[in-house]
Amino acid sequence: MRLPLPESLKRQLRPLPQWSAIASRDPQNTIAVAWKSGHQRVDVTHRNVVAALRPLTIAIGLNPAAEENAPASAASGLELVDRVTGAILGSLELGTTRPVEAPGVVLNLFEVTGGEDRCLGWVRRTIDTRLRQMRGRRTPDPYN
């Protein structure tokens, strides 16, 4: 037996969009992006970009002189940190790396293997996850 929900409650329970674009003027000083691997931490706020969406791939650019800071470890990740409060807003687990060299720069491509969103409370994250799982069962190809 299914109970009908009021329309106002249905609107509140809709999942948030998975990709919400947020524009910030460069240089943005709101969120810091840090690459971490083991005990090492490198600020890559102005040196990272989404390189591909399928599979989700992040590119991190480095100066060849900074090779000792190169994110070469397979067990690494990115943390997004609020500069004002110091709170971790989210993190991405990075997998396989592929270095691409160009004159004056070394670009490391990482596939995202997992992530965590800490912007929303656990209740909203749980509801969004369940709604996306239910929607995924109805749609045969989520990329279509």
Side-chain angles (χ1 to χ4, degrees):
M1 179 170 123
R2 294 185 115 182
L3 294 174
L5 293 175
E7 196 59 39
S8 60
L9 184 58
K10 283 183 185 179
R11 277 194 300 272
Q12 290 178 350
L13 292 177
R14 284 193 183 121
L16 295 173
Q18 282 186 292
W19 288 96
S20 299
I22 299 172
S24 297
R25 295 191 188 277
D26 197 36
Q28 66 85 19
N29 294 317
T30 310
I31 297 172
V33 180
W35 167 79
K36 62 181 183 75
S37 178
H39 298 294
Q40 187 180 18
R41 198 179 188 98
V42 179
D43 183 9
V44 294
T45 303
H46 301 286
R47 297 182 284 158
N48 72 84
V49 67
V50 174
L53 292 176
R54 189 174 179 191
L56 182 56
T57 305
I58 306 291
I60 300 175
L62 294 171
N63 182 322
E67 265 319 294
E68 68 275 2
N69 290 335
S73 169
S76 62
L78 290 179
E79 283 186 344
L80 290 86
V81 181
D82 184 321
R83 289 186 193 261
V84 176
T85 65
I88 297 175
L89 302 174
S91 60
L92 294 175
E93 297 169 22
L94 303 177
T96 311
T97 179
R98 294 179 307 242
V100 176
E101 294 186 31
V105 70
V106 174
L107 207 69
N108 291 286
L109 300 175
F110 293 94
E111 288 184 19
V112 175
T113 59
E116 184 178 3
D117 176 8
R118 296 185 189 170
C119 293
L120 301 173
W122 70 269
V123 173
R124 185 62 200 213
R125 283 195 317 259
T126 304
I127 291 171
D128 280 3
T129 300
R130 295 294 299 151
L131 289 172
R132 283 197 184 98
Q133 288 171 345
M134 290 178 355
R135 183 174 37 186
R137 286 187 209 124
R138 292 186 300 229
T139 310
D141 184 6
Y143 299 104
N144 189 357

